[in-house]
Amino acid sequence: MRPYIICHMLSSVDGKIDGPSLRAVTGSGEYESTGAQLNGDAWVCGRETMQRHFAEDEPFVSKSKRPAGPRDVYVARRAESYAVSIDTLGKLRWSNGDIDGDHLICAVSERAPEDYLSMLQKKGVSYIVIGATSVDLPQAVSQLSEHFGIKTLLLEGGGHINGAFLQAGLVDEVSILLVPGIDGRHDIPAVFDGVSPSRKDAVPLKLKSVEQRKNDALWIRYKVMKQQQ
Ligand SMILES: NC(=O)c1ccc[n+]([C@@H]2O[C@H](COP(=O)([O-])OP(=O)(O)OC[C@H]3O[C@@H](n4cnc5c(N)ncnc54)[C@H](OP(=O)(O)O)[C@@H]3O)[C@@H](O)[C@H]2O)c1
């Protein structure tokens, strides 16, 4: 049992995802309004994206430095919609348990410090501790389904967490808002990034729909075909 997972991203024509560089060629609110049509009851982002856009500026610094080890899932509360952060070592600092009205769930590995988990409890943040050295993504999404009732999860970047979900066979659908701009910079992450170099073949997709949007953007939806692991 796991949620249906749709990767929803804003992308330049060359597959780059640096939001600020694409602002001038993106219609206002288009990423959000296309995303809303996907009817997710949760969205998930990697640590870099959470740090850049949503968490407190200063990272969490552990006093005890004692790894938490295996822990039960902590459900601070159930909600209608959730924001999920994938943060291996428990670095992100949060001021409360909500992001724009979505209840926050932090997925961390057993290496996250125990005082990090205490901080999350104090702030009313739910958490999942899963994976000895890194967050076990298949298990994490199963727990989102089991403990929080999440049915449709929107995977919203950045490129490296998207690549990790893809590599784990956890992406069912790709939803790209392709905007009329070219980035071209080498170091900017792509929609899917960091996948093992041993993977030689592209993951096959099947077109579900394509819609022309304002400002010459295209909203393209693909179903991910069964992958060879
Ligand atoms: N255009 C869009 O729609 C869109 C959407 C979102 C973000 N963005 C942009 O994307 C950029 C950030 O992307 P990014 O690729 O650098 O970072 P990211 O995917 O947001 O985060 C990557 C981090 O997630 C953590 N992580 C935990 N488990 C992981 C796993 N199994 N595999 C991979 N990573 C894992 C790692 O941090 P640890 O060191 O903690 O393990 C890793 O460094 C930002 O510029 C942001 O603005 C664009």
Side-chain angles (χ1 to χ4, degrees), residues 23-182:
R23 201 165 288 138
V25 291
T26 304
S28 159
E30 282 285 278
Y31 176 73
E32 292 74 13
S33 63
T34 47
Q37 290 183 55
L38 300 172
N39 296 318
D41 48 1
W43 54 277
V44 56
C45 284
R47 181 180 59 79
E48 290 289 341
T49 299
M50 284 299 196
Q51 181 63 72
R52 203 170 289 211
H53 301 289
F54 302 105
E56 299 283 286
D57 289 342
E58 291 303 314
F60 178 81
V61 179
S62 171
K63 287 201 176 88
S64 74
K65 296 196 168 48
R66 255 199 308 274
R71 294 290 176 111
D72 290 340
V73 173
Y74 174 69
V75 182
R77 67 179 177 89
R78 293 284 293 251
E80 282 187 3
S81 57
Y82 297 93
V84 182
S85 141
I86 311 282
D87 178 9
T88 313
L89 297 174
K91 289 183 180 167
L92 297 170
R93 209 156 52 81
W94 300 101
S95 57
N96 62 63
D98 268 54
I99 301 181
D100 299 336
D102 299 328
H103 176 58
L104 177 61
I105 305 168
C106 291
V108 300
S109 76
E110 291 173 18
R111 292 159 71 201
E114 56 186 15
D115 54 352
Y116 184 72
L117 303 183
S118 310
M119 179 276 285
L120 294 180
Q121 286 204 13
K122 254 186 233 136
K123 302 283 181 185
V125 178
S126 296
Y127 60 74
I128 293 171
V129 182
I130 194 82
T133 54
S134 60
V135 175
D136 180 326
L137 295 175
Q139 295 265 16
V141 295
S142 295
Q143 297 207 344
L144 290 176
S145 176
E146 184 184 339
H147 296 277
F148 299 92
I150 293 171
K151 292 189 173 59
T152 303
L153 177 64
L154 305 187
L155 171 61
E156 297 197 346
H160 286 87
I161 204 67
N162 291 351
F165 269 73
L166 185 75
Q167 191 148 307
L170 292 173
V171 181
D172 299 302
E173 199 178 313
V174 178
S175 160
I176 302 285
L177 182 65
L178 190 73
V179 294
I182 300 169

Side-chain angles (χ1 to χ4, degrees), residues 2-15:
R2 69 159 175 89
Y4 186 75
I5 301 178
I6 306 174
C7 179
H8 178 59
M9 294 292 287
L10 173 76
S11 171
S12 64
V13 164
D14 56 330

